[in-house]
Amino acid sequence: MVKENIPRHVGFIMDGNGRWAKEHGRPRTYGHKKGADVIHEIVSASFNGGIKAVSLYAFSTENWARPKEEVDSIFELLRKFLKKYAKELIDEEIKLIISGDLSALPENLRTECLERIADTSRFSDHVLNIAINYGSKAEIVHAVNKALEKGKKQISEEDISENSYTSGLPDIDLIVRTGGEQRLSNFFLWQSAYAELYFTDTYWPDFHKKQLNEAVEWYSLRQRRFGDVSPKQG
Ligand code: FPP
């Protein structure tokens, strides 16, 4: 991976699992399994390459509209992933956070999430943020309401940041969306106000370290101005 101008926080919209499966003559659930299989490679390569925080869009509030079998299979993949890497998260000192409303999730997945969060809450150098049952507009409303409950009369930008799921994390510098669509789909809109947007036709199950390096290299060549006239380092 390039050494300079590395994004601190990268968000991945992991799209294209269903189309990958269709092209391989397999059920959509198999596409999600293949998608889950590349996550460890991408997260490890990100942290090894100097990225501090990784956010993954695993399940949106809109994804409940999918067939129950598909929803259940994604939840099961998530549970198995968190169980499989429980020890590695601790050994590698990776803090896990989950963005989204956990209350609607199956009990066994919610328990797995809460245990991994508790096990890793003391870490801070590397953060893995998985968005499950997540929607950005709902998150912003939730953050405003939390600030009001704390007695705020006027809401500042800091209030929203501090009461969001990603409180304490740097804003997202780079969003990578696989699968050819060019939209944000309610993914961390507040945190991505100044993010560079990288879209690739590659389906998520085919997105490997090489493709990650290409995205980060693309980012490293961007000049970020944040509304100013002179470029700033990201
Ligand atoms: C979008 O592809 C993908 C999802 C809605 C689910 C992503 C879930 C995983 C990769 C597995 C579990 C996650 C973790 C962190 C272990 P799509 O189904 O919309 O694809 P399509 O647009 O080709 O139909």
Side-chain angles (χ1 to χ4, degrees), residues 1-226:
M1 207 180 273
V2 286
K3 292 271 176 287
E4 279 178 25
N5 205 13
I6 301 281
R8 282 162 306 169
H9 185 175
V10 182
F12 293 95
I13 303 178
M14 308 180 290
D15 200 8
N17 295 344
R19 281 164 288 161
W20 185 95
K22 193 169 183 207
E23 286 186 12
H24 290 77
R26 305 295 297 259
R28 293 179 57 81
T29 48
Y30 186 74
H32 293 312
K33 186 191 173 302
K34 295 300 280 186
D37 286 347
V38 299
I39 287 172
H40 182 267
E41 177 185 343
I42 295 301
V43 174
S44 301
S46 297
F47 291 152
N48 289 335
I51 293 164
K52 298 286 179 197
V54 170
S55 291
L56 302 172
Y57 209 176
F59 191 84
S60 73
T61 44
E62 290 76 31
N63 287 152
W64 289 105
R66 296 185 177 212
K68 185 170 183 311
E69 187 203 356
E70 182 172 344
V71 170
D72 288 347
S73 82
I74 294 174
F75 288 159
E76 194 52 13
L77 286 168
L78 274 161
R79 192 186 64 78
K80 284 187 178 153
F81 176 87
L82 292 173
K83 196 173 163 65
K84 181 173 179 187
Y85 294 112
K87 184 171 180 299
E88 189 171 329
L89 286 170
I90 296 172
D91 290 347
E92 299 292 325
E93 304 198 346
I94 296 166
K95 180 191 185 101
L96 178 83
I97 61 176
I98 304 283
S99 294
D101 178 8
L102 296 185
S103 67
L105 301 181
E107 178 77 41
N108 61 358
L109 174 57
R110 188 167 62 245
T111 305
E112 196 67 42
C113 289
L114 294 174
E115 285 179 3
R116 299 294 75 74
I117 292 167
D119 279 357
T120 63
S121 63
R122 63 189 183 279
F123 305 131
S124 58
D125 282 359
H126 291 118
V127 180
L128 174 60
N129 170 32
I130 307 183
I132 310 177
N133 194 18
Y134 174 84
S136 186
K137 286 187 174 184
E139 178 189 31
I140 295 167
V141 171
H142 183 69
V144 170
N145 283 326
K146 267 171 77 180
L148 291 173
E149 279 165 24
K150 290 176 187 169
K152 295 276 175 177
K153 297 276 182 289
Q154 284 224 314
I155 306 297
S156 67
E157 292 188 8
E158 286 71 30
D159 289 327
I160 297 185
S161 295
E162 281 167 19
N163 288 288
S164 70
Y165 292 116
T166 58
S167 173
L169 284 188
D171 275 350
I172 295 181
D173 301 303
L174 169 65
I175 287 190
V176 174
R177 182 172 187 143
T178 59
E181 308 290 353
Q182 304 201 353
R183 54 176 173 261
L184 293 177
S185 300
N186 211 11
F187 180 71
F188 294 110
L189 304 178
W190 181 264
Q191 296 85 339
S192 301
Y194 285 100
E196 299 289 335
L197 307 178
Y198 182 86
F199 300 106
T200 169
D201 289 339
T202 303
Y203 295 145
W204 178 254
D206 291 328
F207 193 84
H208 292 282
K209 205 170 156 179
K210 173 178 176 288
Q211 286 74 19
L212 172 69
N213 288 341
E214 285 167 5
V216 172
E217 271 174 42
W218 173 87
Y219 172 89
S220 72
L221 298 173
R222 309 288 302 166
Q223 295 198 319
R224 305 181 75 206
R225 283 183 289 278
F226 297 95

